[in-house]
Amino acid sequence: MGRALIVVDVQRDFCEGGAVPVGGGAGRARAIADLVERTAGGEYAHVVATRDHHLDPGGHFSDHPDFEESFPVHCVAGTEGGEFHPDFAPAAERKVDEVFYKGAHSASKSGFEGFAADGTALADWLRAREITEVDVVGIATDHCVKATALDGVRADFAVRVLLDYTAGVSAETTVRAVAELDEAGVELSGTPVVLA
């Protein structure tokens, strides 16, 4: 029995200056790096991270995005925008046990749709290490953090979202996401950053 931290999509393209910036993303990158440095190997038996890793995701990329299901081109595999934010990258290099890549050919918002470099799915990786509880942090509260947390519940993990370590796209969609998470039985702590 153990607890793991899932760090969702703390990438350049989702922070200020990126292709699809989320207000407060860079600040959350710094805060999450500090959290990882303080808790990896202590409170958390394992720390994993997810990355959007798009090759050809079809309608997920659009010249006329709706910012719900379609977005401008972002986090293309092999580009700078797809890399971890520089404020998080050093902590990731030192403390993250595995990275799960998602969305090569689809939207794939949930980290549980991601795979490690060896093809292992996130849920299988966690179960192999006797993880039963996960904390979820990252970007964006109302998109990939929400999807990851909901899929964690569906996969029978006890899920907590640390909202102080998330950034939301808009107040309206973040409030809706938090309500959806609460209704699904996700434990919630803190308040998400929303800088519209």
Side-chain angles (χ1 to χ4, degrees), residues 72-93:
V73 174
H74 62 277
C75 296
V76 173
T79 66
E80 189 174 275
E83 297 298 321
F84 287 131
H85 188 276
D87 288 341
F88 173 64
E93 188 173 324

Side-chain angles (χ1 to χ4, degrees), residues 101-190:
Y101 299 88
K102 60 190 178 65
H105 299 284
S106 65
S108 292
K109 290 184 179 181
S110 169
F112 283 92
E113 296 175 286
F115 297 91
D118 68 0
T120 304
L122 175 55
D124 293 337
W125 191 96
L126 293 170
R127 288 190 189 108
R129 288 153 182 82
E130 300 183 336
I131 297 298
T132 57
E133 302 176 346
V134 296
D135 285 355
V136 182
V137 300
I139 306 170
T141 318
D142 36 354
H143 290 283
C144 296
V145 168
K146 177 185 83 168
T148 300
L150 292 175
D151 274 358
V153 170
R154 292 183 194 108
D156 293 324
F157 293 97
V159 180
R160 178 171 63 178
V161 174
L162 307 181
L163 293 170
D164 287 340
Y165 296 92
T166 69
V169 173
S170 77
E172 179 184 352
T173 55
T174 299
V175 166
R176 210 161 52 228
V178 169
E180 191 175 343
L181 291 167
D182 184 54
E183 187 176 325
V186 174
E187 184 182 344
L188 301 166
S189 72

